[in-house]
Amino acid sequence: MKLDHVSFASEPDGYKATAERISEKLGVVPYDGGVHPRFGTRNLIFPLANGHYLEVVEALEHPAALSTPFGQAVRARSELGGGWMGWCVSVDDLAGVETRLERKAVDGNRTPESGLELRWLQIGIKGLIADPQLPFFIKWAADSSQHPSSYKTNGDVALDTLQIAGDRERLRDWLGTQDPKPIPEIHIDWSAPHGTPGIMSISFDTAKNGLVTI
């Protein structure tokens, strides 16, 4: 189990303008991640160090954006002005997650500017909608050489810390582990355990601007 990516919902002026502002802060140029036809969304990808990436995602005027949990989550966050929508952890086997959540994973696909279609299974978006501190889960259909962070690789910017309003015990229950540090490659700062849950900010270690918090 490891952090896969973090998702930022587009602000009112669209995903390209939103990505431009993030690009200026991080010093990373995003690439076109393509359309998620099953979810009615599209994204721009910022590849990061350590096999992570940041996506800026936007809901399209498409029925799937209204009928699928992922499309609904993106649209709802953008309608609130945009910002951090959620985070995602990758696992090698989703069977245990499906059993714990009592539902099946759904297929996802998109074709980025590389022209190579990416496919995966994901689960947990309904949990994120109900409790935004929680990540969703992904299992990629290809090996790490086709992971979004591997295209136009970038080693100068690394994800450092997630600041989350919520409860770490709730996270451990959701992940199905009592490991004191279940996602060891990043820092998670917990605050406001009785406030509105969700990602408050994310800090990145950048070669250009030092530690940058968005």
Side-chain angles (χ1 to χ4, degrees):
M1 188 183 304
K2 68 183 291 290
L3 178 72
D4 191 75
H5 66 274
V6 291
S7 299
F8 193 99
S10 65
E11 294 170 342
D13 53 355
Y15 80 142
K16 290 184 177 179
T18 302
E20 286 177 5
R21 288 188 287 273
I22 293 175
S23 180
E24 289 176 1
K25 294 177 180 179
L26 297 183
V28 180
V29 177
Y31 67 86
D32 185 358
V35 171
H36 306 93
R38 295 174 184 269
F39 308 143
T41 56
R42 60 185 175 186
N43 65 9
L44 291 165
I45 301 292
F46 291 80
L48 305 173
N50 305 317
H52 302 148
Y53 69 93
L54 183 165
E55 70 169 349
V56 173
V57 62
E58 178 178 69
L60 301 171
E61 293 300 323
H62 188 281
L66 298 173
S67 62
T68 63
F70 189 81
Q72 292 167 357
V74 174
R75 180 177 290 276
R77 189 67 182 90
S78 289
E79 288 177 349
L80 291 174
W84 292 114
M85 184 192 82
W87 55 301
C88 177
V89 297
S90 64
V91 295
D92 295 328
D93 185 3
L94 283 174
V97 180
E98 290 178 322
T99 298
R100 194 166 65 254
L101 301 189
E102 299 182 334
R103 63 178 70 99
K104 289 292 186 181
V106 298
D107 292 301
N109 69 292
R110 59 181 173 81
T111 302
E113 65 179 49
S114 66
L116 181 65
E117 185 184 40
L118 298 176
R119 291 185 173 274
W120 65 90
L121 290 168
Q122 70 181 50
I123 187 172
I125 295 295
K126 289 183 178 180
L128 181 154
I129 292 172
D131 191 353
Q133 69 179 298
L134 302 176
F136 63 102
F137 301 87
I138 193 167
K139 181 183 185 301
W140 292 96
D143 62 32
S144 60
S145 67
Q146 297 180 22
H147 188 266
S149 66
S150 298
Y151 180 67
K152 296 190 174 180
T153 57
N154 171 71
D156 292 333
V157 178
L159 199 154
D160 185 85
T161 303
L162 273 63
Q163 184 182 28
I164 299 178
D167 180 354
R168 70 183 70 206
E169 292 303 322
R170 175 73 178 105
L171 173 64
R172 291 191 184 111
D173 288 344
W174 180 251
L175 296 178
T177 179
Q178 288 306 307
D179 190 323
K181 194 170 174 59
I183 312 294
E185 74 270 24
I186 60 165
H187 304 293
I188 300 179
D189 288 342
W190 295 93
S191 62
H194 304 296
T196 301
I199 296 175
M200 299 179 68
S201 65
I202 297 180
S203 296
F204 301 83
D205 185 9
T206 76
K208 178 181 178 181
N209 297 320
L211 194 66
V212 172
T213 299
I214 297 175

